[in-house]
Amino acid sequence: MKALCNARVFDGDRMLDRHTVFVDCGRVVSVVPEPSGVDPIADAVDLNGLIIAPGFIDTQVNGGADVLFNDEPSSEGIARIVAAHRRHGTTGLLPTLISDDRAVMERALNAVAEARRAAMPGLLGIHLEGPYLNPKRKGIHREEKIRTPEPDAVTLLSRLGDEATTLVTVAPERVREGFIAELSERGVIVAAGHTAGTYADIRRAQSEGLRGFTHLFNAMTPMTSREPGVVGAALAGENTWCGLIVDGHHVHPATARVAVSAKMRGRIMLVTDAVHAAGSTHRELEFLGQTIYRANGRVTSATGTLAGSDLTMDRAVRNVVDLLALPLEEALRMASLYPAAFLGIDAEYGRIRPGYRADFVALDDDLRVVGTWIDGVADSDAPAAPPARIGVGSGPG
């Protein structure tokens, strides 16, 4: 039994002052007010008034600390990415592979299966962002890697089954009728992204089970007065979730505020879209055959195209409070409960309640991460990740 004492506990619904969280066997046992007395058999940790909240969940993580998943689609690469983002409060993530060759996709799927069998803390599954996208909205994706689905694409994308969560981003107008429905029936979560589709295209995809939208506003058709486009379909859909990159660059804060107001509450979640620049000290890094540049919170190609981000979830939470002027409680839900609901795991993740997994982040008054727990194990007690491979750099960030 472990007792996390003297904390401000955000349980997923409300902030509870001076409470203790009891944990046993990786699960929350109870949340009780202070002073309650700590069971003498419990291992007590005094948090001295820190905020303890459900650990952050990021569904779009391309890399971190100089490791890009496309370059290192291995369990070792995943471990380094997970460790890099755990330092910023993320206790559950989907390593994200952007459009690449079939062989790389298979290696990535095999790596996630291997890591899940080894019960790697913090790994929830995989996000395959492509390659079944629209070249007209390719963003930083390499056009030569983008293609229409192969005859056995459904089998490939669903190969992990119940072993891990699989999220796939497609351009609905580029896949055959029934493709999204077949994936959904096999338990694969399908999102729309890098799409030039129309409102009607998205509505058809929603009828087949489309569940989300990848980095809302970016690489998709905008909403206009006569054609709602993908953005309009995303904001109007009642049974879908939208990933939002709140770094002040991908989406203007005013636009983000409008989106949060327009979309049904609980259906906008924070994502980082982080590449290996996140947690790196380098200003220049190699990215799939080209150099990308990191400066002032932006990561771009030589032509100025956004190349993911160096955002972390703790910074995204602070930005929601500072840039969007939303309450802290809602920012924390956007980082934990709402992505858990999107992934269909909100019966175990996203709250601090009896029976839920003991995945927590501790924050100080400035919303800086002080520590994390996954299944009740503190980061200080977790095994170290393998050392990162350093990329091309030009000085500290």
Side-chain angles (χ1 to χ4, degrees), residues 6-22:
N6 189 23
R8 295 169 59 199
V9 178
F10 178 66
D11 67 0
D13 294 312
R14 55 186 178 147
M15 195 73 74
L16 305 170
D17 194 35
R18 289 181 59 82
H19 273 61
T20 293
V21 179
F22 287 94

Side-chain angles (χ1 to χ4, degrees), residues 94-247:
L94 300 181
T96 300
L97 190 84
I98 72 169
S99 300
D100 215 320
D101 296 329
R102 171 70 173 246
V104 178
M105 294 173 69
E106 291 181 343
R107 286 175 59 198
L109 288 162
N110 290 340
V112 168
E114 176 187 340
R116 287 285 290 178
R117 285 193 291 269
M120 181 182 293
L123 175 66
L124 299 177
I126 190 171
H127 179 180
L128 297 165
E129 188 186 347
Y132 313 126
L133 309 177
N134 195 319
K136 294 178 182 178
R137 295 281 178 172
K138 63 183 175 64
I140 198 66
H141 289 236
R142 291 173 291 179
E143 187 166 351
E144 68 272 17
K145 304 298 182 184
I146 295 173
R147 53 194 183 272
T148 55
E150 304 89 346
D152 66 340
V154 170
T155 300
L156 172 68
L157 299 178
S158 60
R159 69 154 56 172
L160 293 181
D162 295 334
E163 197 167 20
T165 297
T166 301
L167 168 62
V168 176
T169 294
V170 303
E173 74 278 11
R174 295 272 293 173
V175 301
R176 61 174 172 78
E177 184 177 351
F179 183 77
I180 292 172
E182 290 176 30
L183 286 174
S184 299
E185 288 166 4
R186 296 192 184 200
V188 175
I189 300 170
V190 184
H194 292 275
T195 168
T198 63
Y199 179 79
D201 290 328
I202 300 302
R203 294 294 291 171
R204 282 193 294 271
Q206 288 173 323
S207 72
E208 291 192 18
L210 185 80
R211 191 171 172 86
F213 294 86
T214 297
H215 45 50
L216 182 66
F217 295 109
N218 291 275
M220 59 181 62
T221 48
M223 182 172 66
T224 65
S225 60
R226 294 179 179 85
E227 168 50 51
V230 177
V231 170
L235 295 179
E238 295 182 355
N239 298 314
T240 55
W241 283 259
C242 301
L244 191 64
I245 308 171
V246 184
D247 62 356

